[in-house]
């Protein structure tokens, strides 16, 4: 309950807290340091729930739409411990899927390489699109779409394979709603712009109650938290570490849309959840990836705004095991290539000891 209340009370701090606003603006300039002036003037940059571009009355927080991340596919898989664990092997190979329109869907990795059989946790941490596509098609499009709805997305999403990689169009405020659910350990807390109504003396006249529902099991969310921590420690989001103390734990995910139209990063610490997004009004190429743009804003901002690192307790039904990262089999700490991973105790295909 205390975690939920903290998540609720901090959910819209950026909209009202002038101190946080003063921190965010230097972070924005840090995120686009070195960006050509003629292009920077056309960029709308938002550290979530915050600000309007100075020369417009349109809030990109609400109205800009862009494709976002693949974490929904991995969370859907981790809800099936009888089939998938963080150690499961997934195929990161080229894929050509004929569509009803006559087109062919051919997702590609950012580095234009295939990596073969890779652990599920690494595929998420490194944003391997091909692995995500294979995994999502194995799961089915509808279960992944249902996960989006449970996390809080009310905007209609296309039931097409590209949705598995984040296609469909969401606003930063939609991303914030989903990540608040993730940060709160699977409890959905709808975002509100008003928490209290007070009189001139500060006396509360009306207070909106705290409503929340568990939409994802704590065991599945714990596994996702591990993977999102790996993103910033070893994966595509590791650029945020340059701004944060070495022992300050955070979790999050980068995102880059086709042709570098959008750069975004979403994540959380123990007391603050933030989404950063960079994009152009003309939908042109920003020249930035999620790691080189939005992640730098996020890291710079969180280093100054957040005071509590992310901590979590291991839930019942989850234990940590040393696993060989290449084979997925149980190993031991002393063995080369072993990794300590959280695993569900109820999964059917438990890794076998080498």
């Amino acid at each position: 309950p205390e975690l939920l209340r903290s998540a609720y009370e901090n959910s819209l701090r950026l909209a009202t807290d002038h101190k946080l606003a003063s921190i965010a603006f230097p972070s924005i300039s840090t995120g686009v340091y070195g960006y050509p002036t003629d292009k920077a003037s056309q960029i709308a940059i938002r550290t979530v729930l915050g600000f309007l571009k100075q020369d417009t009355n349109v809030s990109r927080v609400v109205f800009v739409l862009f494709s976002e991340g693949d974490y929904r596919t991995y969370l859907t898989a981790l809800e099936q411990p009888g089939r998938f664990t963080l150690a499961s092997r997934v195929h990161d190979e080229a894929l050509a899927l004929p569509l009803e329109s006559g087109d062919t869907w051919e997702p590609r990795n950012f580095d234009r390489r295939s990596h073969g059989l890779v652990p599920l946790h690494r595929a998420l941490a490194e944003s391997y699109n091909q692995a995500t596509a294979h995994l999502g098609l194995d799961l089915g499009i509808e279960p992944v779409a249902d996960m989006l709805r449970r996390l809080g997305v009310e905007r209609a999403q296309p039931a097409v394979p590209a949705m598995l990689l984040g296609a469909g169009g969401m606003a930063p405020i939609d991303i914030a709603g989903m990540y608040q659910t993730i940060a709160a350990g699977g409890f959905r807390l709808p975002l509100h712009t008003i928490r209290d109504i007070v009189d001139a003396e500060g006396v509360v006249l009306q207070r909106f109650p705290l409503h929340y529902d568990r939409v994802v099991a704590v065991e599945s969310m714990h596994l996702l938290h591990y993977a999102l921590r790996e993103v910033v420690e070893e994966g595509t989001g590791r650029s945020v570490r340059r701004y944060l103390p070495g022992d300050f734990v955070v979790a999050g995910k980068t995102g880059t849309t086709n042709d570098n139209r959008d750069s975004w990063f979403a994540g959380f610490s123990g007391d603050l959840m933030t989404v950063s997004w960079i994009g152009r009004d003309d939908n042109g190429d920003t020249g930035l990836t999620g790691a080189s743009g939005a992640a730098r804003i996020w890291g710079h901002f969180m280093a100054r705004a957040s005071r509590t690192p992310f901590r979590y307790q291991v839930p019942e039904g989850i234990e940590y095991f040393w696993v060989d990262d290449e084979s997925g089999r149980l190993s031991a700490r002393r063995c080369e290539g072993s990794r300590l991973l959280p695993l569900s105790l109820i999964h059917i295909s438990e890794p076998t000891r080498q």
Side-chain angles (χ1 to χ4, degrees):
E2 190 62 31
L3 172 64
L4 293 173
R5 187 166 300 280
S6 174
Y8 174 75
E9 290 176 350
N10 285 288
S11 61
L12 290 184
R13 285 170 61 194
L14 270 180
T16 58
D17 193 315
H18 295 292
K19 182 178 180 180
L20 287 179
S22 68
I23 295 172
F25 282 110
S27 299
I28 288 172
S29 64
T30 296
V32 292
Y33 177 75
Y35 201 80
T37 304
D38 61 332
K39 290 186 178 181
S41 64
Q42 302 176 46
I43 294 178
I45 306 172
R46 303 295 168 265
T47 300
V48 138
L49 303 182
F51 311 102
L52 298 177
K53 190 180 178 185
Q54 292 181 356
D55 60 352
T56 182
N57 291 320
V58 177
S59 171
R60 280 111 180 127
V61 169
V62 177
F63 293 108
V64 68
L65 299 180
F66 61 96
S67 298
E68 51 73 57
D70 50 11
Y71 51 87
R72 84 282 289 274
T73 300
Y74 291 93
L75 182 55
T76 304
L78 293 172
E79 274 203 317
Q80 302 181 32
R83 297 182 62 197
F84 300 101
T85 72
L86 289 172
S88 295
R89 311 289 95 179
V90 291
H91 292 273
D92 186 61
E93 300 171 348
L95 171 68
L97 182 67
L99 304 177
E100 292 182 0
S101 63
D103 296 328
T104 301
W105 184 52
E106 298 182 79
R108 292 286 184 266
N109 291 331
F110 183 78
D111 62 4
R112 302 298 178 182
R113 297 170 52 202
S114 298
H115 304 89
L117 276 176
V118 296
L120 186 147
H121 68 87
R122 187 188 304 164
L124 189 155
E126 297 292 351
S127 297
Y128 290 158
N129 290 332
Q130 294 176 167
T132 306
H134 281 285
L135 177 63
L137 291 173
D138 188 12
L139 293 166
I141 293 175
E142 180 51 37
V144 178
D146 179 65
M147 175 59 72
L148 278 181
R149 292 189 288 268
R150 288 158 55 197
L151 290 175
V153 176
E154 298 180 356
R155 197 185 304 272
Q157 299 296 305
V160 296
M163 184 272 292
L164 302 169
L165 301 180
M170 292 190 197
I173 197 168
D174 296 325
I175 310 290
M178 286 193 295
Y179 266 83
Q180 178 157 289
T181 302
I182 293 171
F187 285 99
R188 180 182 174 186
L189 298 90
L191 298 178
H192 298 281
T193 54
I194 299 174
R195 189 174 71 228
D196 300 321
I197 298 176
V198 300
D199 62 16
E201 304 299 325
V203 177
V204 176
L205 303 177
Q206 184 175 352
R207 175 168 291 162
F208 292 88
L210 173 62
H211 293 297
Y212 59 88
D213 298 295
R214 175 165 290 286
V215 294
V216 180
V218 65
E219 296 86 357
S220 302
M221 198 57 74
H222 182 86
L223 301 177
L224 181 65
H225 285 171
Y226 175 94
L228 294 179
R229 286 183 59 188
E230 183 182 344
V231 170
V232 300
E233 296 296 335
E234 306 172 34
T236 57
R238 57 187 176 273
S239 60
V240 307
R241 296 296 337 170
R242 75 178 68 174
Y243 303 102
L244 299 168
D247 59 349
F248 196 88
V249 179
V250 296
K253 188 72 174 67
T254 58
T256 308
T257 54
N258 292 339
D259 302 320
N260 294 329
R261 289 194 302 269
D262 301 280
S263 162
W264 66 269
F265 189 93
F268 48 91
S269 61
D271 63 350
L272 190 61
M273 182 279 302
T274 303
V275 179
S276 300
W277 167 76
I278 301 176
R280 289 175 49 143
D281 286 341
D282 62 5
N283 245 359
D285 186 348
T286 66
L288 298 167
T289 64
S292 65
R296 295 177 61 185
I297 294 175
W298 191 94
H300 188 275
F301 172 76
M302 292 293 280
R304 290 153 181 79
S306 178
R307 296 292 177 266
T308 307
F310 177 57
R311 301 186 182 95
Y312 58 81
Q313 295 181 341
V314 181
E316 293 185 11
I318 297 290
E319 287 190 16
Y320 279 69
F321 296 89
W322 289 98
V323 177
D324 179 74
D325 215 25
E326 293 303 318
S327 68
R329 295 176 180 271
L330 288 181
S331 183
R333 183 174 184 173
R334 65 182 182 276
C335 295
E336 183 179 355
S338 63
R339 184 185 189 93
L340 192 62
L341 285 177
L343 299 175
S344 170
L345 298 180
I346 66 172
H347 68 287
I348 298 173
S349 56
E350 180 179 348
T352 56
R353 187 174 301 277
Q354 296 191 125

